[in-house]
Amino acid sequence: MRMLKNIILPVLVVLLVDPLLFAQNATHDLILNPGYFNNNNQVQYLKVNTKAKIDGKFKPVAGIPVSFYISADAPANLLGKAVSDRNGEAVLFIPPAAKDAWNRSSKQSFFVVSAATGLYKSTSSDLDITKSKIKIDTIAGKKIIATLQELRDSVWVPVKGADIKVAIKRLNADLNVNETPAYTTDSLGTVAADFQRDSLPGDARGNITLIAKVEDNDAYGNITAELTVPWGVPGIYASDFNRRTLFARRGLAPVWLEITSFSIFFVVWIVLLYLIVQIWKLKKLGTQAAE
Amino acid sequence: MENLAKNEIIKDLLPRKFNATGKLWIGVLLSLCVVGLIAYTRQLSKGLVVTSMRDYVSWGIYISNFVFFVAISLVGSLITAILRLTDVHWSTPLTRIAEIIAVSAITFAAIIIVVDMGRPDRFYNLFFHGRLQSPIIWDVIVITTYFFISILLLYFPLLPDCMLLLKNEKKLGKRPNKLYKFLGSFWRNTPAQIKINECAINILVITIIPVAFSIHTVTSWLFATTYRPGWDSTNFGAYFVSGAFLVGAGGVLMAMYAFRKSYKLEKYITELHFDKMGKIVVMLALVYLYFNINEFLVPAFKMKKPDQEHLMGLFAGDFAPLFWFAIITSMFLPVLILVFKKGRKPLPAFIAGCLVVIGSWIKRYVIVTPTLLHPFLPMRDVPPSYRHYFPSWEEWAIAMGSLAGMMLIITVFARLFPIIPIQETITEIEQHENA
């Protein structure tokens, strides 16, 4: 009996509990999707989308530490580290220290590695890009010309057969300049788009921003170029702040409301004051009657 | 009542000292007020966090209570003004009861609004920096005005009685006598005084009707001018006013019975009064039922998505027990009791009045809170306490304390002043005899 209590039972408990512990420690596969971005010739950055299959669906994973490398997956080539946010995105701007590595070749490789966490295994991915740039310009007749070039042996050469979107930059999303959303570059690496949004509101001077962009390209990543042109309608902001409205601030009620409400208020309170005067009269009459 | 002698009327209607039951009643009310004050002290020191109100339900039991107080205060205009203007004489013994209910209710309506404010020290901003476009300012103006009119309407008919009270100093004591002297020592019952007094009362009863309608219409606009499911209604003004008359009339039925019993006023508040008031309550309950049908049937017929959530919550969801309880107790049961002659006897009428008042209080809660729990944009990433509302003990204590406070004012008033106008009763009997 003592043997059962001291040895067999604890062993049984360990055997039963152990699989549960293992089950809790089971790790999932993580997918890293790196992308390269160069917006309007500003500082380039890398963005990694992390996702994993949870309950049969791919969902973004937050809190994954990701290391970014240039040229090779080695500590000496580390660009930096970032942690994925609630959308599963980890972003790293390419630091100036990486200038030499960046200039070494017209093609560049990036490596991203995620460290193992309690729930996810360590995983890695890589990205190869060819250095490229977009030029955007306009010609007479409100025509937009965009040219895509890639760096080949230190020379910028036109790219043929790539898709370029030409649009107008708005607050939350881009608006096509006409009904065609994307164009394919010719042998000169050029696309031409007609501007057909004549009455588009611009800033106070009528300026709008044109944008040409290559998106999710296997060779070039995501690159954009912008150009400001005075093709919009000047947007004159008419402030309602000092106008008399129902939604205005204190002291700016509509005149009709002020007249109506003050009239009612004064009529009623004049009646009440009249009645208070009557009390005083009653007092006076009472005093006279007493005398 | 016609055969009563003048001295007998004065003797019957003069205020009396509290008996043991009266003292116990005062004790209970005072205790509730003290508990309410303690809870309010906690709220003042710790802030509104002691309540269950959070980001979504920012108007809870306090505002429900406020709407209830404003509603019940309308009875002053119903009994005193409307019945007087229509030359209904049977209501004379009930006018002062109605007026003191109106004054005490409107006083606590103002107090409970201050209680609902997180920073009561900033209350003066409403007067000095108010925004005329806001219905809240209209409410502040109209409540203040209604309060003064109700005070005057209580005061002017009291003046002739003050003379009678001063003549009975020995019976009533020295301290109350000082109060009577302050209020009406100048009253000599001269024809000139009587004429001015009657004229003042007539002006008041005409003035109070539009102000009374405004007060509850503006209170309804606090809700209806807000774009929310359940409040976005053009029916709200009439819906609130009809509900207010109902709860006011129910309150008068309760008070009539209580005063009749405790002050032995069977000769003055007769079964005829219960019969007449019972019929008025039936009519008002049916009118209120009509507005309720309008208020719920039309949106339920269209069932727009946001309205659907709100309405289903009321009809068959979390708020269904309260909603149906309010509808049944404030409208159906009182009608069922009072529609029969036997139901308009004092005790059943009192029970019907209690049902109306209790049901109407819950109805205000059902109007205020469920809408706030059904915003147009779904609640996301909020603590669980934001998704539900049940008042904290501090809120209950303050709300019950305020109701007790209202009843305390009425009780103390009845201790100091005749709850049935003495001089008016005598004059009416004399006129009747002369006729």
Side-chain angles (χ1 to χ4, degrees):
Chain A
M1 197 61 188
R2 189 176 287 173
M3 190 181 163
L4 175 76
K5 190 178 170 186
N6 291 343
I7 300 170
I8 298 175
L9 271 178
V11 168
L12 277 172
V13 168
V14 168
L15 285 174
L16 280 169
V17 169
D18 224 11
L20 292 173
L21 293 173
F22 276 119
Q24 282 175 358
N25 285 334
T27 50
H28 300 284
D29 288 329
L30 188 73
I31 297 170
L32 300 179
N33 239 336
Y36 165 80
F37 291 81
N38 182 358
N39 289 339
N40 201 26
N41 205 24
Q42 292 173 341
V43 178
Q44 302 100 315
Y45 63 90
L46 301 168
K47 183 160 79 177
V48 173
N49 285 303
T50 61
K51 58 184 177 181
K53 206 167 194 178
I54 300 164
D55 300 331
K57 287 179 183 172
F58 280 107
K59 290 183 181 173
V61 183
I64 299 292
V66 183
S67 303
F68 296 78
Y69 300 90
I70 188 166
S71 305
D73 176 8
N77 297 354
L78 181 71
L79 289 173
K81 294 179 178 180
V83 177
S84 62
D85 60 15
R86 59 191 293 182
N87 298 317
E89 293 175 354
V91 174
L92 182 92
F93 284 88
I94 297 173
K99 188 182 170 188
D100 291 341
W102 174 259
N103 288 337
R104 215 167 284 150
S105 164
S106 57
K107 294 188 184 236
Q108 199 54 264
S109 297
F110 296 102
F111 297 86
V112 288
V113 179
S114 72
T117 66
L119 288 171
Y120 299 98
K121 293 173 191 168
S122 170
T123 186
S124 64
S125 184
D126 62 294
L127 171 73
D128 295 322
I129 59 127
T130 304
K131 290 177 187 174
S132 60
K133 64 179 179 184
I134 299 181
K135 284 180 182 172
I136 184 166
D137 207 349
T138 59
I139 56 173
K142 288 191 178 178
K143 231 178 170 69
I144 305 154
I145 306 294
T147 310
L148 177 65
Q149 294 176 321
E150 68 171 30
L151 193 61
R152 203 180 292 162
D153 301 328
S154 305
V155 181
W156 289 102
V157 294
V159 178
K160 187 188 171 189
D163 285 341
I164 295 184
K165 285 185 179 175
V166 181
I168 305 146
K169 203 172 177 186
R170 306 305 285 172
L171 196 59
N172 292 316
D174 297 331
L175 178 72
N176 297 335
V177 290
N178 55 42
E179 286 178 357
T180 311
Y183 300 85
T184 306
T185 54
D186 58 15
S187 58
L188 298 172
T190 300
V191 297
D194 290 324
F195 182 84
Q196 292 174 357
R197 305 276 183 187
D198 284 334
S199 54
L200 205 64
D203 64 11
R205 292 177 180 173
N207 286 331
I208 54 171
T209 303
L210 301 173
I211 183 167
K213 55 187 179 180
V214 170
E215 284 180 332
D216 287 334
N217 190 294
D218 291 341
Y220 311 114
N222 301 274
I223 52 173
T224 66
E226 295 175 13
L227 178 69
T228 303
V229 289
W231 291 352
V233 177
I236 297 161
Y237 172 64
S239 170
D240 280 331
F241 191 72
N242 288 320
R243 206 156 62 84
R244 284 182 175 273
T245 57
L246 280 173
F247 49 85
R249 62 190 163 84
R250 186 174 65 86
L252 283 176
V255 175
W256 63 264
L257 179 67
E258 286 196 344
I259 291 172
T260 315
S261 52
F262 285 131
S263 306
I264 296 169
F265 179 82
F266 284 119
V267 166
V268 173
W269 276 92
I270 283 168
V271 170
L272 294 185
L273 283 175
Y274 169 77
L275 292 170
I276 289 163
V277 171
Q278 296 309 298
I279 296 174
W280 177 77
K281 264 189 183 177
L282 288 173
K283 272 190 177 179
K284 204 176 159 188
L285 285 169
T287 319
Q288 283 170 359
E291 286 165 5
Chain B
M1 201 162 94
E2 285 82 17
N3 300 323
L4 290 169
K6 186 180 171 183
N7 287 341
E8 196 185 344
I9 295 172
I10 295 171
K11 192 186 150 199
D12 286 347
L13 298 181
L14 277 181
R16 287 165 227 172
K17 285 183 181 170
F18 292 125
N19 57 16
T21 319
K23 283 175 187 166
L24 181 69
W25 171 244
I26 286 281
V28 170
L29 293 179
L30 277 174
S31 309
L32 284 169
C33 288
V34 168
V35 175
L37 271 175
I38 291 167
Y40 185 54
T41 315
R42 268 178 62 80
Q43 184 181 304
L44 275 181
S45 63
K46 294 181 186 295
L48 278 174
V49 73
V50 300
T51 71
S52 296
M53 291 186 284
R54 294 293 180 266
D55 282 24
Y56 288 94
V57 178
S58 52
W59 284 358
I61 198 173
Y62 295 152
I63 297 295
S64 315
N65 223 14
F66 162 73
V67 180
F68 174 80
F69 281 133
V70 174
I72 204 164
S73 75
L74 249 68
V75 74
S77 70
L78 172 74
I79 304 288
T80 316
I82 297 174
L83 295 184
R84 187 187 275 263
L85 281 177
T86 48
D87 215 17
V88 174
H89 290 291
W90 62 261
S91 67
T92 307
L94 313 180
T95 50
R96 196 158 291 157
I97 295 176
E99 267 314 312
I100 189 59
I101 290 176
V103 169
S104 56
I106 204 68
T107 306
F108 273 91
I111 290 171
I112 206 77
I113 278 291
V114 180
V115 168
D116 189 62
M117 295 173 74
R119 291 288 304 268
D121 52 306
R122 293 179 179 173
F123 182 61
Y124 71 96
N125 285 328
L126 275 172
F127 293 94
F128 294 102
H129 307 289
R131 200 173 145 265
L132 193 64
Q133 299 97 309
S134 166
I136 289 176
I137 290 301
W138 309 343
D139 217 31
V140 170
I141 293 169
V142 85
I143 283 178
T144 314
T145 309
Y146 189 73
F147 174 76
F148 276 102
I149 294 179
S150 298
I151 288 277
L152 288 176
L153 197 51
L154 187 67
Y155 179 65
F156 275 105
L158 198 64
L159 281 173
D161 287 353
C162 279
M163 192 180 72
L164 296 171
L165 293 170
L166 281 166
K167 280 181 185 169
N168 289 277
E169 188 187 345
K170 280 183 187 171
K171 271 188 191 173
L172 301 170
K174 280 188 180 174
R175 267 192 231 165
N177 212 50
K178 282 181 185 170
L179 181 66
Y180 308 144
K181 265 187 188 169
F182 172 73
L183 290 173
S185 60
F186 54 86
W187 185 262
R188 296 285 176 271
N189 218 23
T190 63
Q193 279 187 323
I194 292 170
K195 194 181 170 191
I196 290 176
N197 195 30
E198 278 181 2
C199 178
I201 293 170
N202 283 336
I203 291 172
L204 277 169
V205 294
I206 292 167
T207 315
I208 201 171
I209 294 173
V211 176
F213 271 74
S214 306
I215 187 175
H216 217 44
T217 308
V218 168
T219 302
S220 82
W221 287 349
L222 295 179
F223 302 93
T225 51
T226 314
Y227 185 47
R228 282 174 179 276
W231 292 352
D232 181 27
S233 162
T234 53
N235 187 35
F236 247 44
Y239 172 55
F240 267 50
V241 170
S242 61
F245 279 139
L246 174 64
V247 62
V252 168
L253 268 183
M254 281 175 72
M256 277 163 68
Y257 184 83
F259 285 122
R260 186 178 192 255
K261 270 271 173 200
S262 51
Y263 286 89
K264 311 242 179 304
L265 299 173
E266 285 84 356
K267 281 183 279 185
Y268 303 90
I269 302 174
T270 62
E271 290 196 358
L272 173 93
H273 293 102
F274 284 93
D275 185 72
K276 301 268 188 197
M277 275 308 294
K279 284 174 183 169
I280 288 179
V281 170
V282 170
M283 183 197 72
L284 292 171
L286 292 174
V287 171
Y288 190 43
L289 185 65
Y290 165 76
F291 280 111
N292 269 274
I293 292 168
N294 268 282
E295 188 54 37
F296 293 107
L297 182 76
V298 176
F301 191 84
K302 292 180 280 191
M303 268 306 183
K304 287 182 275 185
K305 185 72 183 166
D307 282 336
Q308 185 184 7
E309 258 187 57
H310 169 68
L311 290 172
M312 291 315 289
L314 289 180
F315 296 159
D318 292 347
F319 286 96
L322 278 180
F323 175 76
W324 292 114
F325 180 82
I327 296 282
I328 290 166
T329 48
S330 69
M331 282 166 267
F332 283 101
L333 287 180
V335 169
L336 273 179
I337 294 171
L338 295 169
V339 81
F340 299 105
K341 198 169 175 61
K342 278 187 182 173
R344 296 196 294 274
K345 297 282 177 195
L347 184 61
F350 167 72
I351 293 167
C354 292
L355 289 172
V356 167
V357 171
I358 293 166
S360 299
W361 192 88
I362 293 169
K363 186 81 170 69
R364 269 68 195 167
Y365 181 78
V366 171
I367 290 172
V368 175
T369 307
T371 286
L372 294 169
L373 284 170
H374 294 106
F376 279 116
L377 291 175
M379 296 183 201
R380 283 176 190 273
D381 300 328
V382 294
S385 62
Y386 283 36
R387 294 175 183 273
H388 306 281
Y389 173 74
F390 188 79
S392 65
W393 79 261
E394 285 90 349
E395 287 174 275
W396 280 116
I398 291 169
M400 292 305 124
S402 65
L403 290 168
M406 179 195 150
M407 285 189 269
L408 193 64
I409 289 181
I410 298 169
T411 312
V412 170
F413 179 85
R415 165 67 189 86
L416 293 171
F417 297 98
I419 200 67
I420 291 177
I422 303 176
Q423 186 60 52
E424 219 174 329
T425 309
I426 293 168
T427 312
E428 272 191 10
I429 290 172
E430 283 172 357
Q431 281 171 353
H432 196 265
E433 281 169 357
N434 291 338

